[in-house]
Amino acid sequence: MSFPQHRPRRLRTTPAMRRLASETKVAPSDLILPVFIREDLSEPKPITSMPGVVQHTTASLILAARDAVALGLGGIMLFGIPAVRDAQGSAGTDPFGVLNKAIRDVRAAVGDELVIMSDLCLDEFTDHGHCGVLDANGVVDNDATLEIYAKMAVAQAAAGAHVVAPSGMMDGQVAVIREALDDAGYTSVSVLAYAAKYASAFYGPFREAVDSQLQGDRRSYQMDPGNRREALHEVELDLAEGADIVMVKPAMSYLDILADVAAMSPVPVAAYQISGEYAMIEAAAANGWINRRGAIEESVLGIKRAGADMILTYWAAELAGWLRD
Ligand code: PBG
């Protein structure tokens, strides 16, 4: 008689057995909710390409932050959309600018009960939509941008951010931000570095979410989607510059990168399940082509399995609710 040497199906017999044998579990504290706050808004404004996600008013943002605490989320990542933009992105460094004000409001509402993170980039604040300021030829000027990032970091820390998250992919951004924070006395404020951030088509809906003014693309500063080895180089540079957490972004089309980074990083690794990843699943689910909850849970589980210690996802609150059921 021939028989299999081992029968893995034995550990799949009952829900209890499968739960016991599961290798990967997602917890609410692994999840970070990205949120958008828009200046001069009287009520929350839905984002068409991200069904279920809104541009917040101050009041609705505070409710979302309190809800995040109640759900036990790991953190919240704030993005600001100013009423007025200029070439230098001045609203980003203004202590009363929309993002810095939102950080202050959220910190006042939830204190240290939730890790408050802020996007540190110029694209929401510039009238040309690039992540940095431009030189005379219209090229993003790395070092001139770093000077502004340093000021933004201090403004965000002063407003109460626990973590600042540089997402502009300027060379040297982590070092400059770390030094500026330390010089201003914010030695305890952490830097979450968007270390391996790719020039992705999946950012599409985000551009609507922040009313982006961008013409063209970000290929002169974000990574080429075909480059794998270079991601490790970017991570090593950010670690040497003092990054406390390193991120891979997007997530689902970059799980190999995530696994590579998780295998070598001595610090926690984050992954960002971005707007286009959200929109794809929502659109398929809305058409009845996919099981919505199953697809959401599986997509986030896969990101965790690949090596993410923490995951930014627009489903963070909903997922945490399901995990509690
Ligand atoms: C830059 C930034 C972007 C996202 C997060 N930070 C946009 C970009 O690089 O074009 C995208 C997030 C998403 O698509 O969900 N401030």
PDB file of all heavy atoms in Angstrom, residues 129-141:
ATOM      1  N   GLY A 129       3.240  70.452  -7.538  1.00  0.00           N
ATOM      2  CA  GLY A 129       2.950  69.080  -7.120  1.00  0.00           C
ATOM      3  C   GLY A 129       4.141  68.161  -6.940  1.00  0.00           C
ATOM      4  O   GLY A 129       3.974  66.981  -6.638  1.00  0.00           O
ATOM      5  N   HIS A 130       5.367  68.695  -7.091  1.00  0.00           N
ATOM      6  CA  HIS A 130       6.532  67.827  -6.876  1.00  0.00           C
ATOM      7  C   HIS A 130       6.865  67.742  -5.380  1.00  0.00           C
ATOM      8  O   HIS A 130       6.476  68.606  -4.586  1.00  0.00           O
ATOM      9  CB  HIS A 130       7.744  68.321  -7.674  1.00  0.00           C
ATOM     10  CG  HIS A 130       7.734  67.801  -9.088  1.00  0.00           C
ATOM     11  ND1 HIS A 130       7.897  66.468  -9.385  1.00  0.00           N
ATOM     12  CD2 HIS A 130       7.543  68.441 -10.270  1.00  0.00           C
ATOM     13  CE1 HIS A 130       7.823  66.294 -10.693  1.00  0.00           C
ATOM     14  NE2 HIS A 130       7.597  67.474 -11.264  1.00  0.00           N
ATOM     15  N   CYS A 131       7.629  66.698  -5.050  1.00  0.00           N
ATOM     16  CA  CYS A 131       7.973  66.447  -3.652  1.00  0.00           C
ATOM     17  C   CYS A 131       9.090  67.358  -3.143  1.00  0.00           C
ATOM     18  O   CYS A 131       9.508  67.255  -1.991  1.00  0.00           O
ATOM     19  CB  CYS A 131       8.366  64.989  -3.464  1.00  0.00           C
ATOM     20  SG  CYS A 131       6.971  63.866  -3.742  1.00  0.00           S
ATOM     21  N   GLY A 132       9.597  68.212  -4.024  1.00  0.00           N
ATOM     22  CA  GLY A 132      10.638  69.144  -3.613  1.00  0.00           C
ATOM     23  C   GLY A 132      10.502  70.428  -4.392  1.00  0.00           C
ATOM     24  O   GLY A 132       9.609  70.559  -5.236  1.00  0.00           O
ATOM     25  N   VAL A 133      11.392  71.370  -4.103  1.00  0.00           N
ATOM     26  CA  VAL A 133      11.382  72.629  -4.856  1.00  0.00           C
ATOM     27  C   VAL A 133      12.165  72.437  -6.158  1.00  0.00           C
ATOM     28  O   VAL A 133      12.993  71.531  -6.276  1.00  0.00           O
ATOM     29  CB  VAL A 133      11.976  73.794  -4.029  1.00  0.00           C
ATOM     30  CG1 VAL A 133      11.020  74.151  -2.894  1.00  0.00           C
ATOM     31  CG2 VAL A 133      13.352  73.440  -3.463  1.00  0.00           C
ATOM     32  N   LEU A 134      11.902  73.291  -7.126  1.00  0.00           N
ATOM     33  CA  LEU A 134      12.503  73.133  -8.451  1.00  0.00           C
ATOM     34  C   LEU A 134      13.662  74.109  -8.661  1.00  0.00           C
ATOM     35  O   LEU A 134      13.627  75.234  -8.136  1.00  0.00           O
ATOM     36  CB  LEU A 134      11.441  73.369  -9.539  1.00  0.00           C
ATOM     37  CG  LEU A 134      10.152  72.544  -9.407  1.00  0.00           C
ATOM     38  CD1 LEU A 134       9.183  72.869 -10.553  1.00  0.00           C
ATOM     39  CD2 LEU A 134      10.447  71.048  -9.381  1.00  0.00           C
ATOM     40  N   ASP A 135      14.647  73.675  -9.439  1.00  0.00           N
ATOM     41  CA  ASP A 135      15.728  74.604  -9.797  1.00  0.00           C
ATOM     42  C   ASP A 135      15.328  75.375 -11.059  1.00  0.00           C
ATOM     43  O   ASP A 135      14.207  75.230 -11.556  1.00  0.00           O
ATOM     44  CB  ASP A 135      17.072  73.855  -9.957  1.00  0.00           C
ATOM     45  CG  ASP A 135      17.083  72.901 -11.153  1.00  0.00           C
ATOM     46  OD1 ASP A 135      16.183  73.010 -12.028  1.00  0.00           O
ATOM     47  OD2 ASP A 135      17.995  72.055 -11.214  1.00  0.00           O
ATOM     48  N   ALA A 136      16.249  76.175 -11.582  1.00  0.00           N
ATOM     49  CA  ALA A 136      15.933  77.043 -12.730  1.00  0.00           C
ATOM     50  C   ALA A 136      15.514  76.244 -13.957  1.00  0.00           C
ATOM     51  O   ALA A 136      14.795  76.743 -14.827  1.00  0.00           O
ATOM     52  CB  ALA A 136      17.134  77.925 -13.049  1.00  0.00           C
ATOM     53  N   ASN A 137      15.936  74.981 -14.020  1.00  0.00           N
ATOM     54  CA  ASN A 137      15.576  74.138 -15.172  1.00  0.00           C
ATOM     55  C   ASN A 137      14.311  73.310 -14.931  1.00  0.00           C
ATOM     56  O   ASN A 137      13.973  72.444 -15.741  1.00  0.00           O
ATOM     57  CB  ASN A 137      16.731  73.187 -15.507  1.00  0.00           C
ATOM     58  CG  ASN A 137      17.987  73.951 -15.860  1.00  0.00           C
ATOM     59  OD1 ASN A 137      17.934  74.936 -16.585  1.00  0.00           O
ATOM     60  ND2 ASN A 137      19.122  73.511 -15.318  1.00  0.00           N
ATOM     61  N   GLY A 138      13.678  73.528 -13.784  1.00  0.00           N
ATOM     62  CA  GLY A 138      12.454  72.772 -13.497  1.00  0.00           C
ATOM     63  C   GLY A 138      12.717  71.377 -12.952  1.00  0.00           C
ATOM     64  O   GLY A 138      11.814  70.549 -12.864  1.00  0.00           O
ATOM     65  N   VAL A 139      13.986  71.123 -12.550  1.00  0.00           N
ATOM     66  CA  VAL A 139      14.339  69.815 -11.972  1.00  0.00           C
ATOM     67  C   VAL A 139      14.236  69.925 -10.449  1.00  0.00           C
ATOM     68  O   VAL A 139      14.572  70.965  -9.871  1.00  0.00           O
ATOM     69  CB  VAL A 139      15.786  69.431 -12.384  1.00  0.00           C
ATOM     70  CG1 VAL A 139      16.222  68.141 -11.707  1.00  0.00           C
ATOM     71  CG2 VAL A 139      15.886  69.314 -13.900  1.00  0.00           C
ATOM     72  N   VAL A 140      13.774  68.856  -9.797  1.00  0.00           N
ATOM     73  CA  VAL A 140      13.674  68.881  -8.335  1.00  0.00           C
ATOM     74  C   VAL A 140      15.078  69.000  -7.736  1.00  0.00           C
ATOM     75  O   VAL A 140      15.958  68.172  -7.996  1.00  0.00           O
ATOM     76  CB  VAL A 140      12.943  67.626  -7.807  1.00  0.00           C
ATOM     77  CG1 VAL A 140      12.975  67.599  -6.287  1.00  0.00           C
ATOM     78  CG2 VAL A 140      11.497  67.611  -8.301  1.00  0.00           C
ATOM     79  N   ASP A 141      15.260  70.048  -6.950  1.00  0.00           N
ATOM     80  CA  ASP A 141      16.564  70.397  -6.376  1.00  0.00           C
ATOM     81  C   ASP A 141      16.718  69.690  -5.032  1.00  0.00           C
ATOM     82  O   ASP A 141      16.097  70.072  -4.040  1.00  0.00           O
ATOM     83  CB  ASP A 141      16.625  71.931  -6.217  1.00  0.00           C
ATOM     84  CG  ASP A 141      17.982  72.416  -5.730  1.00  0.00           C
ATOM     85  OD1 ASP A 141      18.676  71.644  -5.014  1.00  0.00           O
ATOM     86  OD2 ASP A 141      18.339  73.558  -6.036  1.00  0.00           O
TER      87      ASP A 141
END
